[in-house]
Amino acid sequence: MRLVIDQFLQMTLAIARRWQSLFVLQIWMTLASVLLFSTLLAAVLGSLLARDGSPAVGNSALIDFALSPLGLLTLNVMPIAYLVVMYIEHACSLEVFADPKGRVTESILRSLIRLPRLIALAILQTVISLIVAIPILVIGAFVYWLLLSDADINYYLANRPPKFILAIVIGLLLLAIAFVFAAYLITRWFHALPRLLFDQPNPINALLSAWRDTKQWRSTTIAVLLWLTLQLILGSLAPLVLALITSKLFSLVKHDSITSIIAASSIIILHTFMLSVVAAIGQCWFVAGVWTTYKVPLRLELITDTHNALISRSWIRPLFFAFGGGVALIVVGLSAIRHVFDFTHRQHVHIVAHRGGAIGFPENSLSGVKRSIDLGAYAAEIDVQLSKDGIVIVNHDKDLRRVANLPLVITETNSAELLKADIGTNHKPPLAPEYLPTLEQLLKEAQGRVCLSIELKYYGFKPDLAEKVVELLDRHSPSQDTKRFFGFGKRRRCH
């Protein structure tokens, strides 16, 4: 207990001595992070809209983008970019601790000079972490296949049978194991960054020397546990406080359009500020733990003098690249945001009944579509699949366990048996008997009265599903004066 208190006091005092410099540094780092990641997200969204060409981005567009070269590059760059930004922030904080005067500008320049090393270290740790995570992911996939693959996941989410609970328990156990492994890796790598900054210019040597050093194992473990405890406390309190403030604010304001916009904007700013403060406290606390448990082999004055001499010779190049990178991010970000705004300004807002209007009615049902028509919805979104004998059936899940309590897989069952499935009395709460509809039935009901946004569900290889849907649309095509187009993801004909 005494060691815990001593370590807590050391970390607290380290932050107290440099709180002004750390505060200024966190402001700069937060602005840089917002610039980087908002630009990346805006560029990704702009790319999605440019590829998809629709008012909103659907699941198929996300999958297509993730499997494209740009998407794969984004999925790999994002975690490494996050680690690099975090390492730059930690490196700057360590340099602030090492500098007797706690100078922020010099600390940032010293960290930028070592940017290639920081990127290499981030890539190394990302690759190692993924290798460690592979067995846990494989076990998780095997558990899913063994316990949850015989029915649609929506059935398990709605009914929660015993084997679903067992799968959740095993999943939580795997998450706990992953958490333990992550904490272990953090503890063993705790001093990799200061070694890279002050001792070992080679990232591999810095990682290996940090891994082999067990002299500070006890104090390092205590520092990690203190940091995790703080993260848990802040991560629990911050959402609770934000929820209370949000609820109170909305109860006090008038719900007209202008006031609601002002209130929503204020809440977004408040959330952003509080979450930034929580993240900054966590980052400073973590670096304070690294610094107080790391035994610097050289005197701080010598380290600082050496680094200052290095800055005097090498500051132009990192500053040039940092400035160029910032300008590039601003140009790309503004271009992407402009593209998004230009695209969204051309769109109209419509009311769409999800799954045919499922509130109070069976989802993807004839009664639900009739209700969406009565309510004046612009469109009813429905999901379609192909039965074994080639009939287009309207249903979301791959089987009928959830909606009709029947173990029938749609793509493996003939339509004569599927159309006997009662989706009314099996509704929660039970409703009047109603049977699974076909797309043709819904097209007849919707013709000239409401648009249908048709989502194709490919469970299994059914390449002729799209052809069957187009054939039905052409057969039940409305007159030219009522024909409109509407779609999410792709253009779909409305009736």
Side-chain angles (χ1 to χ4, degrees):
M1 188 63 184
R2 183 177 178 180
L3 290 175
V4 175
I5 296 174
D6 289 343
Q7 185 60 48
F8 175 81
L9 291 175
Q10 289 182 41
M11 294 166 68
T12 305
L13 290 173
I15 294 175
R17 293 191 190 102
R18 293 284 188 269
W19 73 269
Q20 292 177 319
S21 298
L22 292 173
F23 176 76
V24 174
L25 179 63
Q26 287 298 323
I27 292 176
W28 283 109
M29 290 296 104
T30 301
L31 291 175
S33 299
V34 169
L35 175 62
L36 173 62
F37 290 106
S38 61
T39 299
L40 289 176
L41 291 175
V44 169
L45 180 58
S47 175
L48 281 169
L49 291 173
R51 287 165 56 90
D52 199 50
S54 64
V57 178
N59 294 337
S60 59
L62 291 174
I63 295 173
D64 290 343
F65 176 77
L67 296 178
S68 68
L70 179 60
L72 291 173
L73 179 63
T74 302
L75 292 176
N76 285 279
V77 165
M78 277 292 197
I80 295 175
Y82 174 79
L83 272 182
V84 169
V85 170
M86 185 178 68
Y87 277 4
I88 292 176
E89 183 176 349
H90 289 180
C92 292
S93 300
L94 286 171
E95 294 283 0
V96 165
F97 282 124
D99 192 327
K101 297 181 180 180
R103 291 168 293 189
V104 175
T105 305
E106 289 80 355
S107 299
I108 293 175
L109 290 175
R110 285 195 290 266
S111 300
L112 288 176
I113 291 171
R114 291 160 179 78
L115 184 58
R117 303 180 195 174
L118 298 176
I119 294 175
L121 184 63
I123 293 174
L124 276 173
Q125 291 186 311
T126 301
V127 171
I128 295 172
S129 300
L130 289 175
I131 293 173
V132 172
I134 285 175
I136 298 175
L137 295 175
V138 170
I139 295 173
F142 176 75
V143 170
Y144 180 87
W145 172 81
L146 185 65
L147 297 177
L148 304 179
S149 62
D150 60 335
D152 193 279
I153 189 62
N154 290 288
Y155 163 75
Y156 290 111
L157 293 173
N159 296 278
R160 300 175 185 175
K163 63 178 182 178
F164 176 73
I165 302 300
L166 176 61
I168 293 296
V169 171
I170 297 175
L172 291 175
L173 180 62
L174 291 175
L175 283 177
I177 294 173
F179 178 81
V180 171
F181 268 113
Y184 178 74
L185 289 176
I186 291 173
T187 305
R188 297 300 298 267
W189 288 339
F190 209 51
H191 297 141
L193 186 57
R195 287 182 179 276
L196 183 67
L197 295 174
F198 305 126
D199 296 336
Q200 301 283 349
N202 188 299
I204 297 177
N205 293 337
L207 208 58
L208 289 175
S209 61
W211 185 271
R212 293 168 182 166
D213 185 11
T214 57
K215 295 178 182 179
Q216 305 298 323
W217 174 258
R218 182 178 296 181
S219 59
T220 299
T221 304
I222 293 173
V224 171
L225 292 176
L226 287 173
W227 171 70
L228 290 174
T229 302
L230 179 68
Q231 291 290 96
L232 179 63
I233 294 173
L234 292 177
S236 302
L237 288 179
L240 179 62
V241 172
L242 289 173
L244 292 174
I245 294 175
T246 302
S247 176
K248 186 66 175 177
L249 182 59
F250 267 108
S251 66
L252 295 176
V253 301
K254 297 178 180 179
H255 291 287
D256 57 82
S257 57
I258 301 299
T259 308
S260 296
I261 291 173
I262 295 174
S265 302
S266 302
I267 288 170
I268 291 173
I269 294 172
L270 178 63
H271 282 218
T272 303
F273 175 76
M274 288 194 67
L275 293 177
S276 298
V277 169
V278 169
I281 293 173
Q283 297 282 20
C284 291
W285 191 256
F286 183 86
V287 178
V290 175
W291 178 250
T292 55
T293 56
Y294 180 66
K295 303 301 181 183
V296 183
L298 300 175
R299 296 192 308 112
L300 297 184
E301 292 81 1
L302 180 60
I303 294 174
T304 306
D305 291 341
T306 303
H307 288 180
N308 287 338
L310 183 62
I311 289 175
S312 65
R313 296 192 303 267
S314 309
W315 67 272
I316 297 179
R317 182 181 298 176
L319 197 61
F320 173 78
F321 281 113
F323 178 78
V327 172
L329 286 173
I330 292 173
V331 171
V332 172
L334 291 177
S335 175
I337 291 173
R338 183 185 61 80
H339 176 77
V340 172
F341 283 167
D342 289 345
F343 191 89
T344 54
H345 286 164
R346 298 196 302 268
Q347 311 306 320
H348 300 286
V349 176
H350 299 294
I351 298 174
V352 180
H354 183 237
R355 296 188 189 178
I359 297 179
F361 295 87
E363 64 180 58
N364 285 301
S365 65
L366 190 60
S367 62
V369 170
K370 289 180 179 178
R371 178 61 174 167
S372 66
I373 294 172
D374 294 338
L375 293 175
Y378 176 81
E381 182 267 340
I382 60 174
D383 308 281
V384 299
Q385 303 175 53
L386 207 59
S387 67
K388 184 178 180 180
D389 55 347
I391 301 299
V392 182
I393 303 295
V394 182
N395 193 59
H396 180 275
D397 300 353
K398 68 179 180 180
D399 56 47
L400 301 181
R401 289 178 181 268
R402 181 172 61 89
V403 296
N405 198 26
L406 294 173
L408 300 177
V409 178
I410 292 177
T411 57
E412 300 173 2
T413 309
N414 289 323
S415 59
E417 189 174 1
L418 291 172
L419 297 179
K420 296 177 183 178
D422 186 354
I423 60 175
T425 55
N426 285 283
H427 185 270
K428 296 179 181 179
L431 301 172
E434 183 173 359
Y435 300 97
L436 201 68
T438 64
L439 176 59
E440 187 168 17
Q441 290 175 306
L442 293 190
L443 287 173
K444 291 178 180 179
E445 181 65 34
Q447 186 167 1
R449 304 173 69 192
V450 69
C451 288
L452 287 181
S453 176
I454 303 172
E455 183 172 343
L456 310 183
K457 292 291 184 181
Y458 285 99
Y459 297 112
F461 187 66
K462 294 286 183 178
D464 48 348
L465 173 59
E467 296 177 3
K468 295 278 187 179
V469 171
V470 171
E471 179 184 338
L472 287 170
L473 290 173
D474 288 337
R475 189 187 309 167
H476 297 278
S477 177
S479 59
Q480 287 296 323
D481 59 332
T482 61
K483 188 180 295 183
R484 294 179 293 173
F485 285 90
F486 177 81
F488 285 115
K490 302 296 182 184
R491 293 178 68 180
R492 299 178 177 87
R493 187 164 302 174
C494 291
H495 299 261

